[in-house]
Amino acid sequence: LRDNRIELVRASWHELSISVSDVSLSDEGQYTCSLFTMPVKTSKAFLTVLGVPEKPQITGFTSPVMEGERMQLTCKTSGSKPAADIRWFKNDKEVKDVKYLKEEDANRKTFTVSSTMDFLADRNDDGAVVSCRVDHESLNSTPQIAMQVLEIHYTPLVKIISSNSWPEEGQTIILTCESKGKPVPEPVLWTKDGGELPDPERMVVNGRILSISFLNKTDNGTYRCEAKNPIGRNSTEYVLIVHDVFNTLLPTTVIPSLTTATVTTTVALTTSTTTSATAISARDPNALAGQTGPDHALIGGIVAVVVFVTLCSIILLGRYLARHKGTYLTNEAKGAEDAPDADTAIINAEGSQVNAEEKKEYFI
């Protein structure tokens, strides 16, 4: 062996050692050691030189990529012996559906290996890290890696978030329009039922937020939020329904559910009429817990009944008094209907005495 890269390390009667520096593929082959005795003794060994793969490169990527376009990324490495292995990863997750190709180099000793990953660009891949890893026995378990960060452009994704799931009259509702896209979408556009917002004083737009104060039934309708960027535009809708206000904040009162009215009339010649009404009220069992209020229909019915009973009592009392007065006058002059004058009537009256002339009453 005559080469400056080959150096004699040890020489003795029992051992002969050499070293080869800057090993190349041409150093591969069979080496023979001979002992010149009678007869000559030899020993042979075959030296295999590994081809270290070059650092891989990723090609086929153009930035940016529009959503929905097909992407073909190719990872290639040369000079490996034996052929290297290539694996693809996306955000540390291995991609299995790839194409693998192995070609022999011009020196017919090493190989060029390439692998292609084919997929459709998706908005979820924006910002993802794609890596190509080359494994080879010459790398001592330290693979060579090439990386590429994906940039995907896509139309805005729009969503409306409401601050109140059950809006009531008089309240305020805030609608937030979330729009995500690349490039970043322009300021959003708010509309109601296909037209402009009808009441700018109550319907205030601040960036992506629509605030509606003092809600009423005229605010019912479909609100649309639209966002756009250079790639395209997108929109979403929110249907607002304003509900009636529940009397949850009214003071607690007792609703009369059972009412009785008792009218008592006492008539005498020397006494006056007395009318009394007693109302017994209790909580309405059908009332909602925590929500009570006066029942105007029931109260009106009670008042009408009391008035009607009072009027009837007054009419009956008047007729009774008139009849009683006539009876009194009749008893006072009973038997004097046919008397020609007052004196005779007194004499003929029931219960008169013999000396009636001493007791006379004259009516003028």
Side-chain angles (χ1 to χ4, degrees), residues 17-62:
S17 300
I18 61 173
S19 66
V20 183
S21 60
D22 195 14
V23 176
S24 64
L25 292 175
S26 60
D27 295 327
E28 183 174 283
Q30 183 173 282
Y31 289 77
T32 303
C33 174
S34 299
L35 179 61
F36 294 95
T37 59
M38 292 298 294
V40 177
K41 296 179 180 180
T42 62
S43 178
K44 297 180 179 181
F46 190 88
L47 175 64
T48 300
V49 179
L50 300 177
V52 180
E54 298 177 355
K55 185 176 181 179
Q57 293 183 349
I58 297 177
T59 58
F61 178 76
T62 57

Side-chain angles (χ1 to χ4, degrees), residues 265-268 272-274 311-322:
T265 304
T266 304
V267 179
S272 60
T273 303
T274 303
L311 291 176
C312 293
S313 301
I314 293 174
I315 293 173
L316 294 176
L317 178 61
R319 293 186 63 183
Y320 179 85
L321 289 176

Side-chain angles (χ1 to χ4, degrees), residues 156-170:
L157 179 65
V158 186
K159 180 173 64 174
I160 294 179
I161 300 177
S162 173
S163 63
N164 192 344
S165 60
W166 188 268
E168 298 179 355
E169 289 184 313

Side-chain angles (χ1 to χ4, degrees), residues 15-305:
E15 180 184 346
L16 186 63
S17 300
I18 61 173
S19 66
V20 183
S21 60
D22 195 14
V23 176
S24 64
L25 292 175
S26 60
D27 295 327
E28 183 174 283
Q30 183 173 282
Y31 289 77
T32 303
C33 174
S34 299
L35 179 61
F36 294 95
T37 59
M38 292 298 294
V40 177
K41 296 179 180 180
T42 62
S43 178
K44 297 180 179 181
F46 190 88
L47 175 64
T48 300
V49 179
L50 300 177
V52 180
E54 298 177 355
K55 185 176 181 179
Q57 293 183 349
I58 297 177
T59 58
F61 178 76
T62 57
S63 181
V65 179
M66 303 303 171
E67 183 180 25
E69 291 184 358
R70 183 166 295 278
M71 297 182 62
Q72 287 187 345
L73 301 181
T74 301
C75 178
K76 181 183 291 186
T77 180
S78 301
S80 61
K81 181 181 177 294
D85 183 30
I86 297 179
R87 301 167 65 188
W88 284 98
F89 293 86
K90 182 190 293 183
N91 288 337
D92 298 330
K93 183 178 181 181
E94 186 172 1
V95 180
K96 296 291 187 179
D97 188 14
V98 296
K99 296 180 181 180
Y100 182 81
L101 179 62
K102 179 178 68 173
E103 298 177 344
E104 194 176 51
D105 294 336
N107 58 15
R108 305 185 67 86
K109 293 182 178 180
T110 58
F111 296 90
T112 296
V113 181
S114 63
S115 178
T116 302
M117 181 173 63
D118 190 344
F119 63 98
L120 291 176
D122 185 82
R123 65 181 61 201
N124 296 325
D125 293 332
D126 182 53
V129 178
V130 174
S131 59
C132 165
R133 191 172 80 178
V134 176
D135 294 307
H136 194 263
E137 53 187 303
S138 65
L139 299 177
N140 297 325
S141 301
T142 305
Q144 293 182 343
I145 300 176
M147 293 186 299
Q148 178 66 60
V149 179
L150 301 182
E151 182 181 2
I152 312 296
H153 283 192
Y154 53 93
T155 56
L157 179 65
V158 186
K159 180 173 64 174
I160 294 179
I161 300 177
S162 173
S163 63
N164 192 344
S165 60
W166 188 268
E168 298 179 355
E169 289 184 313
Q171 294 181 346
T172 298
I173 189 172
I174 298 177
L175 302 179
T176 303
C177 180
E178 289 189 352
S179 59
K180 180 181 179 182
K182 195 170 185 178
V184 177
E186 300 174 3
V188 299
L189 175 63
W190 283 98
T191 57
K192 179 190 177 186
D193 296 331
E196 296 182 354
L197 299 178
D199 192 348
E201 293 185 358
R202 294 188 303 109
M203 302 177 179
V204 180
V205 177
N206 184 11
R208 305 180 187 277
I209 298 177
L210 170 61
S211 176
I212 307 176
S213 57
F214 303 106
L215 289 172
N216 56 67
K217 293 299 181 66
T218 62
D219 297 327
N220 291 343
T222 302
Y223 292 81
R224 177 188 294 268
C225 171
E226 181 180 286
K228 64 179 181 179
N229 62 7
I231 308 302
R233 64 179 61 197
N234 200 355
S235 63
T236 188
E237 296 179 346
Y238 176 83
V239 178
L240 174 62
I241 300 177
V242 180
H243 301 273
D244 295 330
V245 180
F246 288 115
N247 296 327
T248 55
L249 300 180
L250 294 178
T252 303
T253 59
V254 178
I255 301 177
S257 60
L258 177 62
T259 304
T260 59
T262 304
V263 179
T264 304
T265 304
T266 304
V267 179
L269 291 177
T270 59
T271 61
S272 60
T273 303
T274 303
T275 303
S276 64
T278 303
I280 302 174
S281 61
R283 183 180 299 272
D284 186 0
N286 295 324
L288 295 177
Q291 298 181 357
T292 58
D295 191 334
H296 301 286
L298 184 59
I299 295 176
I302 296 172
V303 173
V305 171

